[in-house]
Amino acid sequence: MASLRSATPKLRNYFRDNYIPQICEALLCGLLVTCPEDPLRYLEHMIIVIIQNGLENLLWDMCIDPSLKPKIRRLSETYLEQLFGLDDQLVTPELMIKACTFYTGRLVKNHFGGWREVAIPRANQEAILAEKMDRAITHDNFRCQKVFFYHWLSYVITCRERLIVSLLRLRQMFCVQRQKIILAKWKEKARHKSKTREDELILKHELQLRKWKLKSKVPEEKLLSPERSSSDTAAAAAPVEFDVSALPEQAIMQIFLYLSFRDTIMCGQVNRSWMAMTQRGFLWNAIDFSTTKNIADKCVVSTLQRWRLTVLRLNFRGCLFRTKTLKAVSHCKNLQELNVSDCQSLTDESMRHISEGCPGVLYLNLSNTTITNRTMRLLPRYFHNLQNLSLAYCRKFTDKGLQYLNLGNGCHKLIYLDLSGCTQISVQGFRNIASSCTGIMHLTINDMPTLTDNCVKVLVEKCPRISTVVFIGSPHLSDCAFKALSSCNLKKIRFEGNKRITDACFKYIDKNYPGINHIYMVDCKALTDSSLKSMSVLKQLTVLNLTNCVRISDIGLRQFLDGPASVRIRELNLTNCSLLGDASIVRLSERCPNLHYLSLRNCEHLTDLAIECISGMLSLVSVDLSGTLISNEAYCKTSLFLEHLDISYCRQLSDDIIKTVAIFCTHITSLNIAGCPKITDGGLETLSAKCHYLHILDISGCILLTDQILQDLQMGCKQLRILKMRFCRSISVAAAHRMSSVVQHQEYSSDDPPSWFGYDSEGNPLEETQSRIQTRNYSELIVKESFSSDEESPDANLI
């Protein structure tokens, strides 16, 4: 049917003229309503009826039984016309009539309603207007009340918040005020208690000093002279009924372990009981021949042969034994540690015998010997488990010798290597090391001016496990070497005497070295406050040494202390950082609860304020205040656990500070008061009476001290081991000679103090500028020669 819409006009006219749509409509309506059982016969019958009635009388419901005729058409005429393509008009007459009727009624209703509103006024118009006005007023009042209520609610809330804030402030002020009152009372009680304690200590000290003076009336000859009276000799000869062998084995072990090799041999010759005690195997696990002088080669050989199965550690450092004597080491099959450093008699042949007989060696120190490539070839062949190797200052082997380390099983278990002073090693030599010692963790290269950044890069490429590096005396290393080490998990770094290391190497230190805990940057003068700021984020840092980094100031140190690194810091060395003042040191005392070692040597701008803050740090064990402006009353009264104190070259100090140390720091073991010309015998007398644990004492340049102090030290400081008294012109040579038999090490001279001490032989001060410069130069020499608490000598791990 859809094709009829595109039919020709002639065909469409045919449909219209012959009433085809009306016929179809009538037949379809009949089918839809009647629903005959035989539709074909029904259609045949209806067509005959239509023919009989004529097309002019055709209606849409003609084919429907009268009883079933619906009131509305089931099939729209317009739809049929649309099917046949005759839909010139889409609206049927019935629908048009309904639409016109609805539209007319709507217009009449609207216009009549409007006309009625205008033409017929209401009788109660005023009442309606009044009612509307009342409603408007009521609505406006409600809106105003709502607005006012919201303003009032916000005001109440604001007032309540202000009241809460005020109450909190009042409570905080009350708590602060109460804390101030409590702290003030506590401070007063603490001050009173401290004063009482000080008075008690001073009183106790005076009583002890009085007893000491009564005891010191014994003639000096009886104390220092080797001759004794007959009564003393008889008393000394009286037998003591005590058998050392009755002690527990652990106690005997601790006693005899303190003895040297010669002393142990001598103890074995006392009697049979002592001989039995000296024959215990644990005493011969470690034999140190380096501390024994003039020992016969025959004794060494016999000892090694007798205890060949017991010896685990041997130390021949600096010994001048014959080559055959060193060959006897090969009898010690269980040897694990061997130190033959500084043995000029050690040859490649000796090392061949040792390597063949002692394959289990773990630690080997060959530093400063004449070994060649022949010995280097033996190391990987026999020492398969070698872990620590020191070749420091061995200049006879070449790069080829280092290549031998990769032969056979190689030295792949090596974790510590010391190549200090091996200036003959080239870049190829470092490549050989990197290829053979891939597991190395600790690397020490000192006194090698030929070391460059390229050498470090070669090592790092194949040795990623390096955790400790020590580069001293390598001035050509720069930030590039530091950057190359970022691929390793460094824990400890030490650079010294390098001017090419700058702040750039510490810029990303928290990302490159998050686990680093030891940093030694000694005499790196290019470092500034920026480096300290970068290091402040290192949470694992425990040791920081910035000696001679002269550009560091209060700003950098305070930035470092404000970071998390200050909490765990245990050792801090700021020697010769002369720009530091009181502000940063006060901050240090607040932020470093675990600080044990502190050096502020030659920090000239520090005053008593900073020193008093330091004295309140109970964790401090060692303090170096040499060259500062410390006064007699500024330190030590609260430093009860102090063990090491250096106040040398503080020319303003007198006996008062020595008395303070003696009263409050009774556990002190090391004291340096060199260059203090105002100290007299009275101060040292007090020190001797109280500090019985003193091991090291330096009184060089104390020109007022006399022979009396040696008598006092011998009576009170019986544990004194090292005594330095250079430039002590009032101490006689005879007294110093007698004292040398009491201590293990003594330095003495009766010359006048040199000019860099800052005063003449009478204690009169010299020109300040000249003495200060010379004192600083001397202090730098001391710093470069000494090690800090955690720094180790190159062969510390090798006995």
Side-chain angles (χ1 to χ4, degrees), residues 490-545:
L490 284 185
K491 302 294 183 183
K492 175 180 176 181
I493 58 174
R494 182 178 179 189
F495 286 78
E496 185 171 330
N498 193 303
K499 298 181 180 180
R500 300 183 65 186
I501 297 292
T502 65
D503 295 331
C505 64
F506 292 104
K507 189 174 182 180
Y508 301 106
I509 190 171
D510 57 325
K511 297 179 181 179
N512 296 334
Y513 315 106
I516 195 168
N517 49 41
H518 287 59
I519 297 179
Y520 302 87
M521 304 301 293
V522 178
D523 201 17
C524 297
K525 293 182 171 61
L527 299 183
T528 64
D529 294 336
S530 180
S531 297
L532 275 175
K533 183 179 180 180
S534 301
M535 288 186 282
S536 64
V537 297
L538 299 175
K539 298 181 180 180
Q540 305 298 325
L541 188 63
T542 57
V543 177
L544 178 60
N545 191 334

Side-chain angles (χ1 to χ4, degrees), residues 286-301:
I287 303 178
D288 187 359
F289 293 103
S290 63
T291 59
T292 306
K293 300 178 181 179
N294 301 325
I295 185 171
D297 291 53
K298 183 178 180 180
C299 179
V300 175
V301 174

Side-chain angles (χ1 to χ4, degrees), residues 159-171:
C159 291
R160 181 177 296 177
E161 292 177 352
R162 290 179 179 176
L163 181 61
I164 293 173
V165 172
S166 300
L167 290 175
L168 291 176
R169 288 181 179 177
L170 289 174
R171 181 180 296 177

Side-chain angles (χ1 to χ4, degrees), residues 454-466:
N454 193 23
C455 298
V456 177
K457 291 179 181 179
V458 169
L459 281 172
V460 169
E461 286 176 358
K462 295 186 178 181
C463 301
R465 298 180 59 190
I466 293 179

Side-chain angles (χ1 to χ4, degrees), residues 23 26-28 30-31 36-53 63:
I23 295 172
L27 293 175
L28 289 175
L31 285 173
E37 294 180 359
D38 191 353
L40 294 177
R41 289 185 179 274
Y42 174 78
L43 290 175
E44 182 182 0
H45 174 70
M46 289 295 110
I47 292 173
I48 295 172
V49 173
I50 292 172
I51 293 173
Q52 292 176 355
N53 293 331
C63 298

